[in-house]
Amino acid sequence: MPFGGNEWDKSKMVAQKDILDQVLHHFRQSDVEKLEDDKNFTAREFKTRNYLGSFGIISSIANPFCYSCNRIRLTANGQLKYCLFSNSETDLLTPFRNGEAIENLIAFAIKNNNPLT
């Protein structure tokens, strides 16, 4: 996700269309199949005929997926982030180290930082 300081840097962006154009430079259109998106996808998945595996493209700026995201993140320093692009974090490490329950903090953070609720 091309951002620093929670600001998009479009100069670092590579759009899904640009990636697929590069793929189609090497493969025929009929050999590249779009796979069905999972319910809470982040990557749009594709398969190339006669090759094992698949590849995914996470194009968060050109093709946002925020509406289907159901992820929370725990940072290395014990902060809960609802969204990678959010400035909001909830400190879980301090209460955890103090022996306090953190379940209510997690529930509160999710409920109050969810832009879809």
Side-chain angles (χ1 to χ4, degrees), residues 21-70:
D21 286 348
Q22 288 295 315
V23 170
L24 295 175
H25 181 74
H26 298 282
F27 298 95
R28 292 185 309 228
Q29 177 92 35
S30 61
D31 288 338
V32 178
E33 174 188 0
K34 169 72 176 80
L35 301 177
E36 186 174 333
D37 294 328
D38 291 332
K39 180 180 177 186
N40 299 108
F41 72 96
T42 54
R44 289 172 175 85
E45 304 244 357
F46 298 83
K47 180 167 179 32
T48 306
R49 186 179 305 181
N50 299 323
Y51 287 85
L52 295 176
S54 61
F55 65 94
I57 301 171
I58 301 174
S59 56
S60 56
I61 298 173
N63 303 94
F65 53 82
C66 298
Y67 64 89
S68 68
C69 181
N70 66 348

Side-chain angles (χ1 to χ4, degrees), residues 70-82:
N70 66 348
R71 289 155 175 79
I72 57 174
R73 287 88 176 169
L74 182 61
T75 67
N77 62 347
Q79 301 295 308
L80 179 75
K81 284 187 79 82
Y82 180 80

Side-chain angles (χ1 to χ4, degrees), residues 1-12 60-61 66 85:
M1 298 180 69
F3 61 84
N6 283 339
E7 294 189 22
W8 295 112
D9 182 352
K10 291 192 177 189
S11 70
K12 295 181 181 179
S60 56
I61 298 173
C66 298
F85 195 60

